[in-house]
Amino acid sequence: LVQPAREVYLVEAGATLVRAFGEQLEGSAPALVEASYPEWAADEVAVLAAAGVDVVQNSQENLADEATRGEFFHMAVEIMEAAGVEVPDVSCESIAGTLSDLVCSHPYADDVAALYQMGIVQGALTPDGDREAQLDETTTRAEIATIINEMLQNDAVELVTAE
């Protein structure tokens, strides 16, 4: 079963991004990754580390931990940059008020701002009609599939993936 509502682990999120963008990633020889991850993901983790994706490169985390939306957004930005996609260099302040729960001091606030400006992330719709980033909530398979689909359909990303 696909289980779209199942929460996703950091290693699964990274592996999914590598499978979507792996051919475009640049990097040197795989770096030693000082994190715990399942053996099945060794190739993807090596690609992430070699591309300099810092959730992996600088991680003291257990990559088998559940991924938050913020961590996934950050990995998505890092992957697109490593693949040669021009990601806007924007600050959280540029989208102030559009995502009601966004706090600009959050470590991944600028990543969500860039993805929002690119049209990749619109925020989660709340019952009140607000849109929220929910950066500290765990992400699901369905959310990751939606974000990757938005990334691949984005004009800036298509130029790279179509080569």
Side-chain angles (χ1 to χ4, degrees):
L1 295 173
V2 174
Q3 300 175 322
R6 184 174 73 73
E7 294 168 336
V8 176
Y9 302 101
L10 281 167
V11 70
E12 292 175 307
T16 304
L17 286 165
V18 167
R19 290 176 187 144
F21 293 94
E23 292 180 15
Q24 287 78 32
L25 296 180
E26 301 170 0
S28 57
L32 177 64
V33 177
E34 296 291 332
S36 174
Y37 53 89
E39 189 175 316
W40 63 261
D43 291 344
E44 287 89 351
V45 170
V47 170
L48 287 166
V53 177
D54 73 6
V55 166
V56 175
Q57 189 91 344
N58 300 323
S59 181
Q60 298 298 325
E61 303 174 59
N62 181 345
L63 293 178
D65 287 346
E66 292 172 342
T68 66
R69 289 184 178 111
E71 290 167 330
F72 180 71
F73 295 158
H74 180 67
M75 275 197 282
V77 166
E78 293 283 319
I79 285 282
M80 286 193 296
E81 289 175 341
V85 175
E86 285 190 40
V87 177
D89 184 18
V90 297
S91 70
C92 169
E93 287 82 12
S94 69
I95 64 164
T98 58
L99 300 172
S100 63
D101 67 333
L102 189 59
V103 176
C104 291
S105 62
H106 192 285
Y108 304 125
D110 291 346
D111 296 311
V112 76
L115 294 173
Y116 185 89
Q117 189 168 50
M118 293 176 79
I120 294 171
V121 170
Q122 291 83 37
L125 192 58
T126 68
D128 300 348
D130 291 338
R131 294 210 172 261
E132 296 181 341
Q134 301 175 346
L135 295 179
D136 293 321
E137 299 296 321
T138 53
T139 193
T140 66
R141 288 178 167 193
E143 290 167 339
I144 285 181
T146 299
I147 298 293
I148 289 176
N149 184 53
E150 291 292 330
M151 289 166 69
L152 294 172
Q153 298 209 14
N154 187 285
D155 289 338
V157 178
E158 282 183 39
L159 296 174
V160 173
T161 58
E163 291 178 357

